[in-house]
Amino acid sequence: MPKVGMEPLRKRELIDAAIRTIGQRGSLDVTVAEIAHEAGVSPALAHHYFGGKEQLILATMRHLLKELGHDLLAALQTATTPAARIAAIIAVNFSASQFAPQTVAAWLTFYVHAQKSEDTRRLLRVYARRMHSNLAHALQQLTKRDTAVQIAEGAGAMIDGLYIRHALRNGAPEAANAIALVEDYVTTKLAAAGVSQ
């Protein structure tokens, strides 16, 4: 029987272990027992908290989305201009916690899993809609709505594409280069629309 008050800690340990295990394996071909072993808890306890692998995977995705949302909120609180808001949204997607190699590998695995899991697909749609909405809102302060929506769509696609590219490379991801590429795209598109930042 789990100790009283330990559930949040154990759940977080299992989620962190899931990120590491999935990231190391590069697939969801992992068992709850392997994740539990990585977390230093029994498989029975992992099943008690999550019920099964699918629920643990979804909890891991929700955790990553929550972390991203928390980081974004903190970054936006200090951004006082539309350009600063755009830069903050881009930078948060490549922050140390979001762009860590194992986190990138876990996200890519989730994208593959979404092809056969409606729950996973729904969570990824939530992520994509939030990023698009945040970017489009900030861009609309600088240009007309149609242009803002188009630039937001392109920037979101670049962010996702850079995740894929960096996952295929050896070594640590180059967050600064990824940020610079997306910012350059946004700046170029705004300039083409007659906006100077």
Side-chain angles (χ1 to χ4, degrees):
M1 187 69 156
K3 293 180 182 174
V4 176
M6 291 298 288
E7 183 172 347
L9 176 64
R10 292 291 183 243
K11 281 185 171 182
R12 176 60 193 265
E13 289 171 348
L14 282 160
I15 286 169
D16 289 344
I19 293 168
R20 288 192 304 274
T21 306
I22 293 165
Q24 290 162 2
R25 185 76 51 92
S27 79
L28 292 179
D29 187 24
V30 296
T31 65
V32 172
E34 290 170 324
I35 293 169
H37 176 73
E38 176 71 21
V41 302
S42 72
L45 190 62
H47 281 286
H48 170 76
Y49 287 142
F50 293 102
K53 186 168 106 172
E54 183 70 14
Q55 290 76 23
L56 178 53
I57 290 166
L58 292 172
T60 301
M61 287 186 68
R62 285 187 196 100
H63 169 76
L64 288 172
L65 284 169
K66 186 177 178 181
E67 273 194 341
L68 179 61
H70 181 268
D71 291 350
L72 181 58
L73 185 61
L76 290 176
Q77 287 176 344
T78 61
T80 57
T81 66
R85 289 180 69 82
I86 294 164
I89 294 163
I90 294 167
V92 162
N93 279 280
F94 299 107
S95 66
S97 63
Q98 292 299 319
F99 211 46
Q102 290 177 342
T103 303
V104 171
W107 271 117
L108 292 178
T109 303
F110 297 149
Y111 271 94
V112 172
H113 186 61
Q115 302 307 304
K116 50 188 176 174
S117 166
E118 180 55 38
D119 289 333
T120 304
R121 194 175 313 127
R122 182 181 54 78
L123 286 174
L124 289 172
R125 280 196 300 258
V126 167
Y127 153 74
R129 278 195 303 263
R130 282 183 188 162
M131 179 168 45
H132 179 81
S133 175
N134 283 319
L135 282 167
H137 176 74
L139 286 159
Q140 283 180 63
Q141 312 306 308
L142 300 171
T143 188
K144 61 184 183 178
R145 184 181 187 285
D146 289 350
T147 303
V149 167
Q150 182 184 36
I151 296 171
E153 187 68 26
M158 281 191 77
I159 289 167
D160 289 343
L162 287 165
Y163 261 77
I164 293 168
R165 284 203 173 177
H166 284 286
L168 299 175
R169 294 183 181 162
N170 291 326
E174 301 161 3
N177 290 343
I179 291 167
L181 281 170
V182 181
E183 286 184 340
D184 183 60
Y185 166 80
V186 171
T187 300
T188 301
K189 295 299 276 183
L190 284 171
V195 177
S196 59
Q197 290 180 283

